[in-house]
Each structure stands twice: as structure tokens, then as C-alpha cells.
Amino acid sequence: MSGVVTVVEQEPPGTPAGGGVPAQRGSRRPRRPEAAFTAWVEQRCAADPGVRSALRRGAGKGLDRVPSMHRFVARWLPDGAGDDVQRAYYTVAAMIAAQRRSQYTVPASTEGEAEAAGADGAVRDAEDAPQDAAGAGPDDGAPEARRLSRQSLGRSFAQAVASEGMRESSAETRLNLLSRQSVDGLHRHLPGAVRQLREAGAPVDWAQLLGDLAGWRQYGGEVKRRWLQDFYRERHRSGVRAAREADDAESAGDDK
């Protein structure tokens, strides 16, 4: 039958039995379950177009309108997770799936490689990797992901500007718009904003974003402050680096 995509389901290695995204202040929230989940989603999307299609179809939809996603996401949900946490898992999975295949940061493994890994695969590596003192999440082995140390969305926007993939005024406007949203509004606006970031070549720390989104109702004020502070700090650093490079180039020219 034409047009039907067959999805070969693979049990997620290291599926958490509970825990998930705890409601806790600050950036020291444990991120192992979130990092394991997002790494597995990236790996499965990179390896299986059927999984990508199933997850991507849930973009922008409520929990009761995403039947194609449940088989992949439901098993990862923490025991007793409320709607905010569940929506965060589903929304982040859909945003990961919406990337171009070349944008995945977790290498895709074949079924043979996953079987040879003995039921654990790449996600065990992600879970067992050491965290920094701020709970910055595991190193999943991908070069881009290794650079993500508590990468907030604000820093991602600043990096999009630094790479000239986005105008500073546009990034600032978009970030401020996101910061003013309710939970429902954030779920509506976030996919488009993240798509812009990825098209601009900016990295996104999916595990950090998952934690921020899950705790938005309770800790949104702290998350907004961190996003904006990280944006302006990173922009300042970029300005200092650019000025230093200009001075070095001018000095080199004077020495000739």
C-alpha cells in the first residue's frame, strides 16, 4: 500500500521508571532523565524517517491530538507527571523531529549497532557521563553537544546573532516575546522560534529546554531572567571578542 510508512519500534534503552523533571529552583535540577530522553529521540529520528514523521506530526498539537507520538514518548514520562511536564516532553520531541536530518547532534546508530550495545546503546553513555557542578547535563559524544554547558535559549539566540544567522533586533524581539508568554502561549510560539535558531545554525540544548518548559508555570520568572541574562552576557562577550580581534588586526597592519 503506497504512502504508508512502517515504523520499526525500538525499546528505548535506559528508560526511566520515574523521577523526570523535578520542580526545583535554579539551574541545579538533575537532567539525566531529560538528557537521556532527548538523546534517544535525536538518535531515533536520525536513524528512522518513520519515527521522525510520527513525532513531527504532533507539532503544535495538544496531548489529546497526538496519537502517533504516544508509542515513543509515553514510556519516558515520569510517574505521576502532570500535564505541564507531559506537554514539555511531547513538544520537545516534536521540535527535535522537525529538524533537518543533517542537524541532529547525536549520531544515528543502526539496529545492528543498538543490538550489539546490548539494550543500552547511546543513551546509557549519555546517562552515565559526568555532569559539571551546575548539573549541566551529560556529554553525548557529539561535538556540538559537548559545547553545550547549561545552554539556555537566550544563549542560543545570542549565538545565532554572532554567526550572522539572525539580526540582533529580531533575536531580541523574539526572545522578549517568548519571555512574556503563558504556558499555552509558550507552546504555541516556541516551535517557530526554535526552528529559526536551528536554521541560523545555533545549537539548542534540548534537555535544558525540556526542563525550562516543564517548569514554566512554577519557575517561569527565573527561567525568563536566565534567558535574558544569558543573551545579553553572550552578546557582550561577542562584542568584546570582535573589538579585540579588530585591535589585533589593526596592530598587525601597523607592524608591517
Side-chain angles (χ1 to χ4, degrees):
M1 184 165 55
S2 61
V4 176
V5 178
T6 301
V7 177
V8 179
E9 186 174 359
Q10 179 180 343
E11 282 295 319
T15 304
V21 185
Q24 180 177 336
R25 289 189 175 276
S27 61
R28 300 182 63 85
R29 291 175 297 195
R31 291 181 52 211
R32 289 177 180 239
E34 300 95 294
F37 169 69
T38 55
W40 180 78
V41 171
E42 280 207 85
Q43 186 181 63
R44 295 292 290 126
C45 287
D48 192 331
V51 175
R52 270 189 75 201
S53 177
L55 295 178
R56 195 169 53 224
R57 284 199 296 272
K61 297 178 181 177
L63 291 172
D64 297 328
R65 299 176 56 214
V66 289
S68 66
M69 298 183 72
H70 295 315
R71 67 187 298 191
F72 303 108
V73 181
R75 69 192 77 175
W76 287 92
L77 296 175
D79 292 340
D83 284 356
D84 284 357
V85 172
Q86 291 186 44
R87 288 182 72 185
Y89 271 79
Y90 280 80
T91 293
V92 169
M95 288 191 293
I96 291 173
Q99 299 178 105
R100 294 197 308 270
R101 188 171 181 179
S102 61
Q103 293 176 321
Y104 291 116
T105 60
V106 177
S109 66
T110 63
E111 280 189 59
E113 288 171 341
E115 186 176 347
D120 279 336
V123 176
R124 174 190 278 178
D125 296 336
E127 286 187 305
D128 291 344
Q131 295 182 320
D132 64 25
D139 176 353
D140 62 16
E144 182 181 38
R146 277 200 296 270
R147 294 197 297 271
L148 301 180
S149 177
R150 202 189 68 92
Q151 171 91 358
S152 78
L153 205 65
R155 189 170 176 222
S156 295
F157 272 103
Q159 290 173 332
V161 174
S163 66
E164 300 184 348
M166 190 180 296
R167 292 196 305 272
E168 182 160 13
S169 59
S170 298
E172 195 171 11
T173 298
R174 176 72 87 160
L175 189 57
N176 276 286
L177 175 65
L178 291 173
S179 297
R180 293 194 298 268
Q181 298 303 313
S182 64
V183 173
D184 290 340
L186 189 61
H187 278 273
R188 283 197 308 271
H189 289 279
L190 196 56
V194 167
R195 185 165 54 250
Q196 274 190 306
L197 288 173
R198 297 304 286 140
E199 291 300 321
V204 173
D205 184 340
W206 298 111
Q208 180 67 50
L209 184 57
L210 172 54
D212 290 346
L213 186 55
W216 190 261
R217 190 183 305 276
Q218 190 170 6
Y219 303 115
E222 297 175 19
V223 175
K224 297 168 192 176
R225 182 179 71 240
R226 174 159 43 86
W227 285 5
L228 292 168
Q229 287 178 343
D230 286 353
F231 176 77
Y232 290 114
R233 268 198 297 261
E234 186 69 20
R235 291 301 300 137
H236 173 71
R237 290 192 195 103
S238 296
V240 170
R241 282 194 298 268
R244 186 179 298 122
E245 290 169 1
D247 289 344
D248 292 343
E250 184 176 347
S251 298
D254 292 341
D255 292 339
K256 290 183 180 178

